């Protein structure tokens, strides 16, 4: 009798455990299938509720009622945020946690980060962004929290500024400014304000991109009389051309291991994507099916995908495996930049006569405009 | 008898569950990419007809074929570095070169303007010229920055081809940021697809 009870209990436990294990496997499967994970959200109100709904939406969750939810996110925000995540069998995926310190908005983002981690994702919600705010040839580089909070201009003078890009791991930006009368790439330390030119040559220096180890940067220059791809020490010394050809290179980006640069260049008069070793050598055209006119590539932090802007009438954000293949069209927009989780992307899109910043979850195609960033903003870069 | 049958059922049930969860979760909806060989098309190794330097169509080069110097690099303008240098936008305003949509080719109908600029430079040996490349608003900001530069560079090559010194001709792109006409229609857009000439002169 007792033996049978023990055996029955063991069987029931085993069944329970296999059910939880099935859920754990399933989490990864959702992203692979391009599906959002259905969750219910309860107990939150006001700003906390809206922050959680926005954050979780752009990392691949859908909000449903409790009966349809695979996971239940519950908590409260009376003075401070508290919350937990449980699966449909009421097992904790994330144990109850209370947050303290900082603003209630920051606590909500901290909770969203912990939820992301519970689901095996890299958290992104304390990310900083840089972008160009302005229209026409007047504008400044702004830096803010990814949701627009704590925003401030880091340049002044109203001259034309373009394409800010972060130095990995540091509070430093590279960008192009026309303040000297020609397009020059500057390196700016955001903590000290120290700003120095690091690519100042004949013609214009455009679209700088810093290597993952922070020691070098790639840029486009017309100093040769044609638009070519150059590489240089981050100090500005040692510049050398990686391409010397009549075609025109544009928009370089680095592979996450720092070995290759991907850029846009013309192939039979249309823009296509190419890669080249960061040490120079032959360029290789990326074989991409299904789209035309590939520009503005960015390599995902996990190395697996390249996202880019395709120009076929309208502009579309598209993604392709890093070794080439069929491209997937994701949404209307331009100038995408990956966040560290290799699924969420910040980009800009046209709205009215200007542009706004927006977030896209690549596997689910969820899109959400960053409502709190005002004015015409474009060319976003997410801090690495 | 009953107990052992329940026991049997539970063992079978457990076995079924274990087998079911042991199965790999087949990737429903995941498309395995075929093992593609990347097609290599090294830049710089293709034929001239595909990638030759584009001369203004219909224009015959003065001098011998291949008269374009190998090195058409541009250094920064010394004049620009002099805070007292002067600028004149009106001297060559009539020679603004207009381009077709998404094109950086100097049309034969525009080539007489380039000739006028070349003559102006020959007559004013201390002057330099900054060619400003512009686009209409269609195209992403990044693409337009590149297209504007390509337009300026194409005009610069045409000038060098006519004998202008590479050291006196400079390029800058403003992309879509400085339209000549703010309208959102073709009559405005064609005025924006242009290269303008800014004359740089030494301090008096």
């Amino acid at each position: 009798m007792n033996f049978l009870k023990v055996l029955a209990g063991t069987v029931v436990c085993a069944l329970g455990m296999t059910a939880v294990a099935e859920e754990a496997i399933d989490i990864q499967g959702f992203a692979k299938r391009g599906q959002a994970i259905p969750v219910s959200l309860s107990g939150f109100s006001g700003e906390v509720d809206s922050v959680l709904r926005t954050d979780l939406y752009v990392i691949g969750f859908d909000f449903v009622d409790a009966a349809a939810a695979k996971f239940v996110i519950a908590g409260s925000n009376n003075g401070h945020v508290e919350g937990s995540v449980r699966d449909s069998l009421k097992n904790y995926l994330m144990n109850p946690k209370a947050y303290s310190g900082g603003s209630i908005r920051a606590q909500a983002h901290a909770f969203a980060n912990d939820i992301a981690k519970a689901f095996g994702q890299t958290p992104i919600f304390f990310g900083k962004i840089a972008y160009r705010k302005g229209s026409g040839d007047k504008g400044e580089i702004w830096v803010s929290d990814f949701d627009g909070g704590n925003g401030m201009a880091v340049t002044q003078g109203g001259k034309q500024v373009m394409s800010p890009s972060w130095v990995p791991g540091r509070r430093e930006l590279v960008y192009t400014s026309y303040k000297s009368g020609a397009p020059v790439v500057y390196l700016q330390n955001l903590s000290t304000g120290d700003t120095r030119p690091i690519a100042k040559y004949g013609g214009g220096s455009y679209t700088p991109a810093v290597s993952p180890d922070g020691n070098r940067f790639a840029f486009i220059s017309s100093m040769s009389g044609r638009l070519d791809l150059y590489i240089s020490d981050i100090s500005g010394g040692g510049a050398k051309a990686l391409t010397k050809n009549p075609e025109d290179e544009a928009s370089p980006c680095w592979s996450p291991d720092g070995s290759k640069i991907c850029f846009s260049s013309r192939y039979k008069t249309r823009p296509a994507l190419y890669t080249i070793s960061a040490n120079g050598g032959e360029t290789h055209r990326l074989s991409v099916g299904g789209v035309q006119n590939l520009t503005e590539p960015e390599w995902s932090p996990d190395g697996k995908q390249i996202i880019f802007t395709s120009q076929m009438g309208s502009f579309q954000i598209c993604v392709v495996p890093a070794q080439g293949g069929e491209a997937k069209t994701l949404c209307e927009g331009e100038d995408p930049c990956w966040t560290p989780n290799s699924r969420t992307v910040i980009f800009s899109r046209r709205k009215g006569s200007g542009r706004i910043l927006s977030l896209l979850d690549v596997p689910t195609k969820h899109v959400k405009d960053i409502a709190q960033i005002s004015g015409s903003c474009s060319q976003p870069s997410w801090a690495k | 008898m009953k107990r052992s049958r329940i026991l049997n059922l539970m063992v079978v049930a457990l076995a079924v569950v274990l087998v079911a969860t042991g199965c790999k979760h087949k990737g429903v909806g995941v498309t395995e990419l075929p093992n593609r060989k990347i097609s290599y098309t090294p830049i710089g190794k293709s034929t001239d007809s595909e990638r030759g330097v584009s001369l203004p169509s219909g224009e015959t080069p003065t001098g011998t074929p291949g008269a374009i110097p190998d090195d058409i690099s541009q250094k920064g303008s010394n004049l620009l570095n002099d805070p007292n240098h002067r600028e004149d936008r009106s001297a060559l305003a009539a020679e603004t070169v207009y381009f077709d949509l998404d094109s950086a080719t100097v049309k034969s109908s525009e080539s007489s303007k380039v000739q006028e600029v070349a003559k102006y430079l020959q007559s004013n040996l201390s002057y330099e010229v900054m060619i400003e490349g512009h686009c209409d608003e269609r195209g992403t900001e990044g693409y337009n920055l590149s297209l504007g530069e390509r337009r300026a560079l194409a005009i610069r090559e045409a000038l060098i081809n006519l004998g202008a010194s590479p050291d006196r001709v400079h390029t800058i792109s403003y992309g879509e940021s400085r339209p000549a006409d703010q309208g959102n229609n073709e009559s405005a857009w064609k005025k924006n697809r242009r290269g303008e000439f800014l004359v740089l002169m030494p301090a008096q």
Side-chain angles (χ1 to χ4, degrees), chain A residues 178-191:
Chain A
Y178 288 56
K179 63 183 178 182
S180 73
V184 168
V185 174
Y186 291 86
L187 171 68
Q188 180 168 339
N189 184 315
L190 297 177
S191 307

Side-chain angles (χ1 to χ4, degrees), chain A residues 64-324:
Chain A
V64 299
D65 58 35
K70 280 242 172 206
F71 298 93
V72 173
I73 302 170
S76 61
N77 51 275
N78 301 318
H80 67 275
V81 171
E82 286 185 14
S84 69
V85 181
R86 294 201 281 183
D87 65 19
S88 48
L89 296 177
K90 300 224 190 315
N91 301 303
Y92 281 113
L93 196 69
M94 180 201 145
N95 288 329
K97 187 166 170 178
Y99 297 85
S100 60
S103 65
I104 199 87
R105 179 179 65 92
Q107 289 179 14
H109 284 317
F111 182 37
N113 274 344
D114 285 337
I115 295 169
K117 285 191 277 194
F119 282 88
Q121 291 191 24
T122 302
I124 63 169
F125 298 117
F126 285 124
K128 291 282 199 188
I129 58 174
Y131 48 95
R132 176 182 178 259
K133 186 194 280 255
S135 54
D137 62 347
K138 305 277 177 294
E140 306 293 0
I141 306 290
W142 277 62
V143 166
S144 73
D145 299 339
F146 85 94
D147 64 358
N150 297 316
M152 58 182 231
V154 299
T155 61
Q156 58 184 12
K159 298 289 185 190
Q160 187 157 342
V161 282
M162 314 274 298
S163 55
S165 186
W166 291 86
V167 177
R170 300 213 284 266
R171 275 184 55 81
E172 295 180 19
L173 288 178
V174 294
Y175 56 87
T176 293
S177 168
Y178 288 56
K179 63 183 178 182
S180 73
V184 168
V185 174
Y186 291 86
L187 171 68
Q188 180 168 339
N189 184 315
L190 297 177
S191 307
T192 65
D194 178 62
T195 302
R196 61 187 64 187
I198 57 173
K200 185 171 184 167
Y201 306 102
S205 305
Y206 304 104
T207 55
V210 182
S211 62
D213 66 8
N215 292 332
R216 294 182 292 175
F217 71 105
F219 63 101
I220 301 297
S221 168
S222 60
M223 68 172 107
S224 70
R226 311 208 161 98
L227 283 169
D228 279 320
L229 171 65
Y230 289 77
I231 202 159
S232 175
D233 298 336
I234 194 68
S235 63
K240 68 169 193 178
L242 289 186
T243 65
K244 283 191 217 292
N245 56 64
E247 299 312 309
D248 300 293
E249 280 67 59
S251 306
C253 69
W254 291 77
S255 63
D257 67 4
S259 67
K260 291 200 194 127
I261 293 170
C262 178
F263 56 95
S264 179
S265 182
R266 307 181 84 66
Y267 174 67
K268 296 189 172 157
T269 81
R270 305 314 315 165
L273 296 185
Y274 288 82
T275 58
I276 189 173
S277 160
N279 297 324
E282 278 193 6
T283 58
H284 301 131
R285 186 167 62 91
L286 210 61
S287 178
V288 181
V291 292
Q292 307 288 328
N293 303 331
L294 291 65
T295 64
E296 307 179 332
E298 287 288 344
W299 213 307
S300 63
D302 65 6
K304 294 182 182 166
Q305 299 182 92
I306 292 175
I307 201 158
F308 58 91
T309 305
S310 166
Q311 308 196 31
M312 300 181 287
S314 62
F315 311 121
Q316 299 286 332
I317 308 285
C318 303
V319 73
V320 68
Q323 70 274 21

Side-chain angles (χ1 to χ4, degrees), chain A residues 1 3-4 7-8 11 14-15 18 22 25-26 32-33 132 136-137 160 162 178 181-183 200-204 206 222-227 245-250 263 265-268 270-271 274 282-287 295-296 309 311 315 321 323-326 334 350 355 378-379, chain B residues 3-4 7 10-11 13-14 17-18 21 25-30 33 36-45 50-53 68 70-77 80-81 102 130 137-147 149-150 153 156-157 170-179:
Chain A
M1 239 340 216
F3 167 73
L4 280 176
L7 185 58
V11 167
L15 286 172
T18 53
E22 184 179 359
I25 293 167
D26 218 27
K32 289 200 178 105
R33 294 189 300 275
R132 176 182 178 259
D137 62 347
Q160 187 157 342
M162 314 274 298
Y178 288 56
K200 185 171 184 167
Y201 306 102
Y206 304 104
S222 60
M223 68 172 107
S224 70
R226 311 208 161 98
L227 283 169
N245 56 64
E247 299 312 309
D248 300 293
E249 280 67 59
F263 56 95
S265 182
R266 307 181 84 66
Y267 174 67
K268 296 189 172 157
R270 305 314 315 165
Y274 288 82
E282 278 193 6
T283 58
H284 301 131
R285 186 167 62 91
L286 210 61
S287 178
T295 64
E296 307 179 332
T309 305
Q311 308 196 31
F315 311 121
Q323 70 274 21
E326 283 299 301
E334 58 195 76
R350 305 221 176 186
R355 290 177 168 90
S378 60
Q379 304 176 35
Chain B
R3 271 188 208 139
S4 72
L7 191 56
M10 288 171 99
V11 168
L14 176 60
V17 167
L18 287 174
T21 53
H25 195 109
K26 290 239 166 65
V28 174
V30 172
L33 291 174
R36 278 171 200 255
K37 201 165 144 63
I38 300 171
S39 73
Y40 292 164
T41 306
I43 292 181
K45 287 197 178 173
E50 230 181 74
R51 295 170 191 280
V53 173
I68 299 162
D70 284 334
D71 180 4
I72 54 167
S73 58
Q74 47 180 323
K75 330 277 183 268
S77 165
L80 267 185
N81 288 333
D102 200 26
M130 173 73 81
E137 61 180 344
R138 297 169 292 176
T140 64
E141 285 181 316
Y143 186 80
N144 283 340
L145 200 61
S146 181
L147 178 59
E149 184 74 31
R150 289 195 290 122
L153 290 170
R156 179 172 182 267
E157 272 195 46
H170 312 283
T171 59
I172 188 171
S173 174
Y174 289 106
E176 62 182 63
S177 68
R178 292 191 182 181

Side-chain angles (χ1 to χ4, degrees), chain A residues 12 18 23 25 46 49 63 156 383:
Chain A
V12 167
T18 53
E23 294 291 4
I25 293 167
D49 182 79
F63 298 101
Q156 58 184 12

